[in-house]
Amino acid sequence: MAASARHCIFCKILRREVPASIVREDSSTLAFMDIRPMNPGHVLVIPKTHAAYVEDLPAEAVGPILEAAMEISRAMRASGIRCEAVSFYLANGAGAGQEVSHAHLHLIPRWRGDGFGLRVRPDYGRIADCTELDAFALKIRTALGRSPD
Ligand code: 5GP
Ligand code: ZN
């Protein structure tokens, strides 16, 4: 086993070396309660494969994360937990706030006025001009190695 997986807290939860309040498990994913909930009922869905970033996961490990999340999201709304809506949140890299280097999707129960939110830059709200958007699209398209359809 790679050292990164041996020391990873989420891999330890997968190996049942560290306790967690398990919500759901299938052959590719595990879902459990976040120990530091952003709102009560906050769940994490993780792939059973250790990888820091989503794009490092094998393709077949990615779909099941969202499939598990769909079921759990529906269940959260029906559970009696305060949950008008669910925020799906994924920090893909330390610069985006990722603290645990094992890809994970946060499912956070939400309601109007819950005080939870993403903080945005002070200049947020400016409508970008088309030239600027086209330039960014071109950079990403080039990195994708695809031509537009
Ligand atoms: P990140 O900031 O990486 O997107 O989120 C990591 C999340 O993992 C945090 O919300 C944190 O509370 C949660 N977490 C970290 N260590 C543990 C743990 O040992 N058990 C559980 N259940 N959650 C954890
Ligand atoms: Zn891991």
Side-chain angles (χ1 to χ4, degrees):
M1 186 194 310
S4 53
R6 193 162 347 109
H7 300 299
C8 168
I9 184 70
F10 288 174
C11 285
K12 288 182 181 174
I13 290 174
L14 281 169
R15 296 194 297 269
R16 306 304 201 259
E17 292 168 12
V18 165
S21 301
I22 308 287
V23 168
R24 184 186 181 282
E25 182 167 23
D26 61 35
S27 56
S28 332
T29 69
L30 183 72
F32 53 90
M33 304 311 297
D34 191 302
I35 205 166
R36 218 170 5 139
M38 293 183 191
N39 266 343
H42 179 170
V43 170
L44 298 172
V45 184
I46 66 168
K48 289 191 169 176
T49 307
H50 176 89
Y53 302 152
V54 172
E55 58 267 33
D56 295 336
L57 286 166
E60 66 275 12
V62 178
I65 298 172
L66 210 46
E67 284 168 27
M70 280 168 57
E71 266 186 30
I72 296 164
S73 179
R74 198 177 297 121
M76 279 168 135
R77 292 177 196 260
S79 66
I81 292 171
R82 187 167 191 191
C83 182
E84 276 173 23
V86 181
S87 280
F88 285 37
Y89 173 68
L90 195 154
N92 203 31
Q98 184 177 7
E99 288 176 2
V100 176
S101 294
H102 181 131
H104 52 279
L105 178 63
H106 295 258
L107 303 183
I108 305 161
R110 301 292 310 278
W111 59 91
R112 281 186 192 80
D114 62 9
F116 178 99
L118 287 177
R119 207 174 58 243
V120 291
R121 294 179 309 138
D123 67 340
Y124 171 73
R126 175 184 72 88
I127 304 289
D129 68 57
C130 294
T131 334
E132 184 186 343
L133 297 180
D134 284 347
F136 279 108
L138 177 62
K139 280 179 198 277
I140 299 170
R141 222 165 45 228
T142 305
L144 278 169
R146 290 185 189 216
S147 53
D149 296 326

